[in-house]
Amino acid sequence: MPTGFTGRDIISIKELNKKEILLVLNQAEKLKRAPEPELLKGCVMGSCFFEPSTRTRLSFETAMQRLGGSVIGFADPGVSSATKGETLYDSIRIIGQYADVITMRHPLDGAARRAAEATEKPIINGGDGANQHPTQTLLDLFTIRECQKRLTNLSIAMVGDLKYGRTVHSLAQALIHFQPTFYFVAPDFLQMPDHLLEQLREAGIKYSLKKTIEEVVNKVDILYLTRIQKERFSDISEYEKAKNLYVLDVPLLAKAKPNLRVLHPLPRVNELSPAVDSTPYAYYFEQAANGLYVRQALLGLVLGKL
Amino acid sequence: MRAYKVFAIKDGTVIDHIPNGKGLRLIAALKLNDMNTVLTMGTHFTSKRLGRKDIVKIEHKELSPSEVNQVCLFAPTATINIIREHKVVKKFTVAVPPVFTELVICPNSRCITNHERTPSTFYPLADGERLRLRCHYCEKIFSHEEVSLR
Ligand SMILES: [Zn+2]
């Protein structure tokens, strides 16, 4: 049965409906249980990283290789033609002649959409500036479902820089399909943007705005932490005050429900104490590892092999 | 003599009720200069509705609503008259088109459209009285007042 994914670009999580999201998650789950080392044999993935992101790049490249495919591309814009003034459009058009699928990351918003216009080959967006990073959202959803055994009706706290954080915006939007209750934990000036809250209200999603982790830790199934960047604070004394409110340490987890799991897109700085790693609540390393299966599922789907 | 302030045309399109001073912008936005046909523009005409207005006449070329609707961002009052044999055979007003192409400049400085030649594409979001626009590339949403035009 056709999946509707063959040849399709994966640019923005907004373009996937609930059924399609679940299809990707189900395929990822299958691949996690039963690897398919021959699935993409003979296929070539172009890996185009116009901005360094070792983690995302290695995850995509490993995904392709573990499905039997091969990888061409570049990881450093210094060695690509971008520095010689070639447009993104031309670069992608050329690489599209060699590769069956292109995964890419680019520092500018909208770059993936533009790239998709340059080639008939499917583009998988691995992050375009501050805009979209759909594979991160899918691996977050996959991980939430894996550790809670469901996606619907969960209580989810998001903590940290909620104003500028692309990861939490996309995840919150994607979760609209699954009737969550949200707690947004951040200082006022880093709270979720109004347009996003408006979208949640329109969709009838319950949410509340909180100032500390302590207020929510006994209520939630998922505690999704993100990094608070010092650069966001205009007043350094404000940063000093704020930073400890958003640091998760073991004592803070004393009132947690037994099924609570802590997620974090990584890399972490100091908002997530390494002491949490050895508690049963830690699930962020599993989360990172799940990126592989979700990316495998997408590669298999857009190449028409799943 | 009113009709002859800008001479009457036999066949073509008359765009009337253009906000005063926006005629040249309209000519540029619709690329009327490239059409290689006689083009006349009048400005500061008296208008009951607008006080002052501009008028543009294009000879031997009938514009379609989908072409002209692009101007609704800066000339929402414009009316379009299709002329055949000196007679108005069709008359329509400007409406919001499904997409704006090559007209809006994305206010997001980190948008790819501001870094390499990319045909600008914006989708209007009908939202009551407010007209908001979403960039096809960076996906950001802007109010009508925030954007500038080419
Ligand atoms: Zn844009």
Side-chain angles (χ1 to χ4, degrees):
Chain A
M1 211 181 83
T3 60
F5 274 92
T6 307
R8 181 167 166 183
D9 302 309
I10 308 295
I11 308 287
S12 170
I13 192 73
K14 292 177 211 160
E15 292 169 338
L16 298 182
N17 62 32
K18 181 177 178 177
K19 208 173 141 204
E20 290 166 338
I21 288 174
L22 291 173
L23 176 70
V24 175
L25 303 192
N26 292 344
Q27 293 293 355
E29 197 176 279
K30 269 193 218 161
L31 288 163
K32 186 170 184 175
R33 263 190 278 123
E36 291 257 21
E38 305 272 303
L39 187 74
L40 299 184
K41 202 172 168 194
C43 297
V44 176
M45 180 182 93
S47 171
C48 303
F49 278 66
F50 296 88
E51 160 182 270
S53 173
T54 311
R55 190 182 307 270
T56 305
R57 182 173 63 82
L58 292 182
S59 177
F60 270 120
E61 294 182 359
T62 310
M64 189 63 182
Q65 284 167 352
R66 286 194 181 278
L67 292 174
S70 52
V71 178
I72 57 167
F74 53 87
D76 175 2
V79 301
S80 79
S81 39
T83 48
K84 290 182 210 144
E86 187 178 46
T87 59
L88 167 68
Y89 187 92
D90 286 358
S91 307
I92 296 294
R93 184 152 185 174
I94 302 287
I95 294 157
Q97 290 165 347
Y98 307 137
D100 303 302
V101 56
I102 294 175
T103 53
M104 65 175 284
R105 190 185 187 96
H106 195 284
L108 294 172
D109 304 350
R113 181 80 61 201
R114 180 60 177 154
E117 292 167 352
T119 177
E120 291 296 307
K121 306 295 170 61
I123 297 274
I124 302 178
N125 184 6
D128 60 324
N131 183 33
Q132 285 279 330
H133 189 6
T135 61
Q136 176 73 46
T137 311
L138 289 165
L139 80 87
D140 288 344
L141 293 170
F142 181 86
T143 306
I144 292 172
R145 187 172 79 164
E146 181 180 71
C147 67
Q148 300 296 335
K149 311 284 178 264
R150 64 191 161 109
L151 263 177
T152 43
N153 298 311
L154 293 168
S155 290
I156 296 174
M158 297 185 175
V159 184
D161 182 352
L162 306 184
K163 183 170 183 183
Y164 301 98
R166 159 183 80 183
T167 311
V168 286
H169 298 168
S170 298
L171 182 57
Q173 283 169 326
L175 280 165
I176 288 178
H177 298 300
F178 304 101
Q179 298 83 44
T181 300
F182 283 125
Y183 299 91
F184 297 128
V185 184
D188 285 339
F189 69 97
L190 289 179
Q191 257 304 349
M192 275 288 180
D194 285 336
H195 70 87
L196 218 143
L197 297 177
E198 192 184 312
Q199 217 182 321
L200 295 177
R201 283 196 299 274
E202 278 167 14
I205 303 294
K206 283 176 279 177
Y207 68 85
S208 46
L209 308 181
K210 300 287 181 188
K211 291 274 198 313
T212 63
I213 297 176
E214 214 163 7
E215 295 167 76
V216 302
V217 72
N218 60 339
K219 298 189 178 76
V220 299
D221 307 304
I222 294 288
L223 193 55
Y224 196 105
L225 302 184
T226 62
R227 199 152 61 91
I228 285 208
Q229 288 160 295
K230 207 172 176 175
E231 310 87 84
R232 302 278 187 224
F233 290 77
S234 50
D235 182 347
I236 199 74
S237 69
E238 281 294 308
Y239 171 71
E240 292 302 323
K241 259 189 282 171
K243 70 175 189 191
N244 294 323
L245 292 177
Y246 306 101
V247 171
L248 185 69
D249 208 341
V250 177
L252 246 182
L253 288 163
K255 289 185 202 149
K257 300 203 288 183
N259 68 310
L260 178 138
R261 291 295 176 268
V262 178
L263 302 185
H264 190 300
L266 303 178
R268 60 178 156 186
V269 187
N270 52 9
E271 66 282 358
L272 176 53
S273 160
V276 176
D277 298 1
S278 52
T279 70
Y281 306 113
Y283 211 73
Y284 30 90
F285 290 116
E286 287 85 346
Q287 178 187 8
N290 283 337
L292 181 72
Y293 309 109
V294 164
R295 290 179 178 116
Q296 284 188 333
L298 284 174
L299 287 168
L301 283 167
V302 301
L303 288 170
K305 303 288 166 127
L306 283 175
Chain B
M1 287 303 284
R2 188 177 163 275
Y4 294 95
K5 276 185 181 158
V6 172
F7 69 91
I9 63 172
K10 183 166 169 269
D11 298 295
T13 308
V14 175
I15 307 179
D16 199 354
H17 301 108
I18 303 165
N20 200 37
K22 301 285 192 207
L24 283 172
R25 160 150 273 172
L26 181 139
I27 288 171
L30 296 180
K31 300 191 176 73
L32 299 181
N33 259 334
D34 304 343
M35 282 179 183
N36 200 22
T37 179
V38 174
L39 194 65
T40 37
M41 192 197 94
T43 187
H44 302 329
F45 278 68
T46 336
S47 160
K48 277 198 208 102
R49 194 139 61 89
L50 302 169
R52 296 272 175 182
K53 67 176 181 183
D54 288 3
I55 298 180
V56 169
K57 302 194 179 193
I58 308 115
E59 287 193 48
H60 307 301
K61 171 81 193 168
E62 295 187 5
L63 297 182
S64 68
S66 61
E67 285 172 275
V68 183
N69 284 344
Q70 294 289 314
V71 309
C72 89
L73 285 180
F74 61 90
T77 51
T79 54
I80 293 90
N81 303 278
I82 304 296
I83 314 286
R84 286 180 202 153
E85 295 291 335
H86 295 291
K87 287 203 174 65
V88 178
V89 294
K90 259 187 274 174
K91 197 176 176 114
F92 52 91
T93 51
V94 161
V96 180
V99 61
F100 292 100
T101 24
E102 298 264 34
L103 178 66
V104 179
I105 297 168
C106 186
N108 172 12
S109 64
R110 301 289 299 160
C111 180
I112 184 79
T113 58
N114 289 313
H115 292 261
E116 71 177 54
R117 182 79 193 97
T118 303
S120 127
T121 306
F122 277 77
Y123 302 104
L125 303 173
D127 187 11
E129 287 291 283
R130 288 190 297 167
L131 176 60
R132 293 195 297 172
L133 298 163
R134 183 171 61 84
C135 176
H136 173 62
Y137 294 93
C138 71
E139 304 185 18
K140 291 209 165 23
I141 295 168
F142 304 97
S143 71
H144 176 192
E145 294 76 27
E146 277 174 288
V147 302
S148 46
L149 305 178
R150 274 184 213 284

